Amino acid sequence: MTQKSTYQELDKENIILRQKLEINKKDEIFNNYFEHNKAIMLQLNSGTKQIINANDTAVNFYGYSKNELLQKTINDLNTLSPDKIQAIIKEAKKIKSNFFEFQHKLASGKIKDVNVYASPFYFDDKICMNITIIDITDQKKSEQTLKQSEENYHLLTETMKDVVLRIS
């Protein structure tokens, strides 16, 4: 009888070990995806707004060392007021809205226009946020240049006294 229970115990231990290995494998896959992703990625504690993880792309984008970045909160990066940031985090936690456009401050003091995709997850019984950031600064500059060009064109055509004939 003792022999049988030993086999059962070993079988249970084997199942537990396989489950732990599976979890470790999934953690390794996610960490590899997160760390080596070319997108700017942050994770933050939604309660404290503390950055709890940042990938290498985020470190390069913001210009802080990883250790410095992990000492920051999202308030340190975003140009919005802390109250507005808190309201947005509240929306994102409820998944009412999870795509935003912001301006973020870099270590150099430069301001960059960014699109932010935020999704909540649980870690150690805390609601955290996975944040993927896309730098749209050049796109915004191009849009502004195009808008200015269109305004100049309309101003020119509306104030011209001569007739312009376009032949195709």
Side-chain angles (χ1 to χ4, degrees):
M1 199 76 161
T2 313
Q3 193 86 16
K4 191 173 185 181
S5 65
T6 305
Y7 287 131
Q8 288 174 340
E9 289 172 7
L10 285 174
D11 193 40
K12 285 180 184 178
E13 285 181 35
N14 192 15
I15 290 169
I16 291 168
L17 282 173
R18 275 191 260 144
Q19 289 172 340
K20 285 182 180 180
L21 280 172
E22 192 63 31
I23 290 168
N24 287 341
K25 190 176 186 180
K26 288 177 182 178
D27 285 348
E28 185 179 334
I29 290 168
F30 175 78
N31 288 336
N32 200 8
Y33 164 79
F34 183 85
E35 288 299 326
H36 298 100
N37 202 307
K38 298 298 179 199
I40 303 159
M41 298 181 84
L42 300 172
Q43 292 177 325
L44 64 104
N45 178 318
S46 63
T48 64
K49 298 183 236 164
Q50 182 73 40
I51 296 169
I52 58 174
N53 201 1
N55 69 357
D56 290 340
T57 309
V59 169
N60 292 333
F61 176 74
Y62 288 106
Y64 294 104
S65 70
K66 186 164 189 168
N67 191 41
E68 290 172 321
L69 200 50
L70 297 180
Q71 301 301 313
K72 305 261 179 226
T73 68
I74 200 65
N75 292 353
D76 298 322
L77 304 179
N78 200 310
T79 60
L80 291 177
S81 72
D83 290 340
K84 286 184 181 177
I85 293 170
Q86 187 61 43
I88 289 167
I89 288 173
K90 189 176 180 180
E91 275 184 55
K93 284 193 315 192
K94 293 179 181 177
I95 312 179
K96 287 186 177 180
S97 181
N98 59 358
F99 187 76
F100 308 95
E101 189 173 303
F102 299 122
Q103 290 189 317
H104 278 192
K105 296 177 277 193
L106 308 183
S108 66
K110 274 181 127 174
I111 303 292
K112 294 279 191 166
D113 293 300
V114 295
N115 280 341
V116 172
Y117 176 79
S119 57
F121 70 97
Y122 290 91
F123 181 72
D124 288 341
D125 297 327
K126 296 176 196 137
I127 299 177
C128 298
M129 302 297 288
N130 272 324
I131 300 174
T132 303
I133 299 158
I134 301 166
D135 180 5
I136 59 166
T137 304
D138 291 340
Q139 176 185 333
K140 289 295 235 179
K141 285 180 185 174
S142 294
E143 288 171 1
Q144 187 60 35
T145 301
L146 179 60
K147 183 179 176 185
Q148 187 63 48
S149 177
E150 288 173 346
E151 287 173 3
N152 290 343
Y153 173 78
H154 289 296
L155 182 66
L156 179 66
T157 57
E158 289 172 10
T159 58
M160 285 181 64
K161 294 183 181 188
D162 294 332
V163 174
V164 176
L165 179 62
R166 180 175 177 201
I167 300 173
S168 301

